[in-house]
Every structure is written in structure tokens, then in C-alpha cells.
Amino acid sequence: MGITRSSRHKRAATGAQRAYYRKKRRFELGRPAAMTKLGPKRIHNVRTRGGSIKRRALRLETGNFAWASEHVMRKTRIVAVVYNASNNELVRTNTLVKSAIVQVDSHPFRQWYEAHYGLPVTQKTVKVVAPTEPESSTQKKKPAKKPAADASKAEDGEKKEKKPNEKRLKTLERRQKTAAIDGLLETQFASGRLYAIISSRPGQSGRADGYILEGQELQFYLRKIKLGKKHQHPA
């Protein structure tokens, strides 16, 4: 039997079983779920009733995500699915559906923030100390000689450097007065990944667009993700 959206098989509010007085109709048909996976972009066009077209996304790896507090949107790469309220199996298989919580690459937003405000997006850095080897008494360092041609090129380059534009500096100074970023977002920027939610329907529109999680909504989903990990790996 084909998939149908008819409700004739449902019982009435009183519990009575409805009588079947006709067969299925084509305008009541349904289709299998797209179950969009994370991977190289692949979209099929599906003709629907009235000649309309649905874009059925079978695989997607990028999307347009909005940073609402900064009023900016950037196209970025989707890294992984981390939470789904309806089914954990959709997380395990990296299935993209509406309202799924995903991790996206933070570099497009970092580049915009640093260019817009003239400030680093985060002060949290990881210091990596390289091991140093003790110098032996037999080894002697030879003084590096800089060629005269390279020295002259460096001097010419310094002369050609343009002075910073005063108007640009004033603009950055004005923007920096209101530059503020949430501590949770700052931690995510340091790791290179941001939590976001998909607000489009990949199986209907062929797109995986959404917005970056912030504030109370971000705190809510972080608790859910943490709780889900505890259930998966009980102590």
C-alpha cells in the first residue's frame, strides 16, 4: 500500500470507527522522508501537485546561518549533528532535519567580527611550548648574513606602507564601545565551532539554514546535550 495523508483510518472523537466509503486518492498521497545526511551536496527535484517543484536534499554540507545579535549572516560548513529532541538515532547518523542542533565552522563569523570591530573575537588562547634542545659545546651558531638586496627591498616596503585612514580608525573606535560577546560564545570561538539550530526544512527546500544559538536558548541546549551524554555513558 502507498503512503497516504488521509485520516479515514482514524477513529472519531467518540471512539467510533469510521466507515470506508472510497479508495485512496492521488491528492492524498505522501512520500518517504528525505532523511538528509551530512555530505557532499546532492539535491533531487520532485514534481508536486499543480506543477510545483520541491527540492529534496539527500546530502548537504553547508548552510546560511545568522548571528542574530550582530545582525549578520554567513555561509559556513556544518560539522556535525549534536542533538535532536525527537530521536537520538538522527544524531548518530548525522541526519539534518528542522530544529536539529548542529555544530558549524566559526571562521566566517570570526573573520567578520575582527574586520568589523578591529578586535580579536576571543582572548582565550592555548599556549603550546615547544621543547628546547640544549646546545652542545662543539656546535657554534653562525651569524646569519642578510643580503644587501633583501635589506633594500624591506626598506622600500616600509616606505610604501600606507598610513591608517583616520575615518576608518574613528569608525572602529565607535564600534568598539558597543563590542561585547557572550562568554559561552567566546569559548566556542576558541574551539572553532559554534552551536546552531536548523530552521529550514532540508527535505522540502533543499537548504540547511538556521541561526547561531545564544543566551538562554544556548544554555538550555547545552544542558540537554550534557544530559544526553550522561545517559549514553553512565558512570
Side-chain angles (χ1 to χ4, degrees):
M1 293 180 70
I3 302 172
T4 179
R5 295 179 293 110
S6 171
S7 60
R8 294 304 306 174
H9 65 284
K10 294 284 188 179
R11 288 180 176 266
T14 58
Q17 190 171 1
R18 292 194 178 102
Y20 262 94
Y21 61 89
R22 71 176 188 189
K23 293 184 178 181
K24 295 179 180 178
R25 298 293 187 260
R26 193 175 190 281
F27 58 79
E28 295 173 343
L29 69 81
R31 297 183 181 87
M35 304 299 284
T36 308
K37 304 298 181 185
L38 194 61
K41 182 178 178 181
R42 186 177 184 185
I43 296 174
H44 283 181
N45 290 338
V46 180
R47 185 191 182 278
T48 61
R49 182 174 168 86
S52 300
I53 297 294
K54 284 185 179 180
R55 293 172 57 80
R56 181 86 74 234
L58 304 180
R59 291 195 300 265
L60 289 173
E61 59 183 352
T62 59
N64 295 323
F65 289 87
W67 190 357
S69 62
E70 295 293 344
H71 308 285
V72 67
M73 178 178 280
R74 287 291 180 270
K75 183 178 181 179
T76 185
R77 181 174 59 91
I78 301 172
V79 179
V81 180
V82 293
Y83 179 75
N84 192 305
S86 62
N87 193 350
N88 287 332
E89 191 69 10
L90 301 180
V91 178
R92 187 185 68 82
T93 55
N94 275 335
T95 304
L96 301 175
V97 294
K98 184 177 179 178
S99 298
I101 307 301
V102 297
Q103 279 188 324
V104 299
D105 187 14
S106 67
H107 286 90
F109 297 100
R110 176 192 288 271
Q111 290 174 354
W112 173 85
Y113 187 93
E114 293 178 352
H116 185 74
Y117 290 105
L119 293 172
V121 72
T122 176
Q123 302 293 338
K124 299 179 180 179
T125 55
V126 180
K127 294 183 179 180
V128 180
V129 180
T132 56
E133 296 180 0
E135 295 182 4
S136 60
S137 57
T138 56
Q139 292 178 349
K140 294 182 180 179
K141 289 185 177 180
K142 295 182 180 180
K145 294 181 180 179
K146 195 172 184 179
D150 293 347
S152 61
K153 286 181 182 179
E155 290 176 3
D156 294 340
E158 290 177 1
K159 290 179 182 177
K160 291 180 181 179
E161 284 183 0
K162 294 182 179 179
K163 293 182 180 180
N165 190 349
E166 292 184 4
K167 186 177 179 181
R168 172 67 175 166
L169 290 176
K170 287 181 180 179
T171 303
L172 290 176
E173 188 178 351
R174 187 181 70 253
R175 289 174 180 171
Q176 288 171 5
K177 292 178 182 178
T178 57
I181 189 168
D182 188 8
L184 292 174
L185 274 181
E186 189 176 354
T187 305
Q188 292 175 47
F189 271 113
S191 66
R193 296 183 178 186
L194 298 174
Y195 287 108
I197 185 170
I198 295 177
S199 59
S200 66
R201 302 171 69 191
Q204 306 292 320
S205 63
R207 301 169 67 96
D209 299 340
Y211 58 91
I212 304 299
L213 292 175
E214 299 178 85
Q216 293 183 355
E217 192 176 12
L218 174 59
Q219 295 173 11
F220 172 81
Y221 281 113
L222 285 177
R223 287 196 300 270
K224 290 290 185 181
I225 293 169
K226 189 176 181 181
L227 190 63
K229 289 180 180 178
K230 283 185 178 179
H231 287 315
Q232 290 176 3
H233 306 287

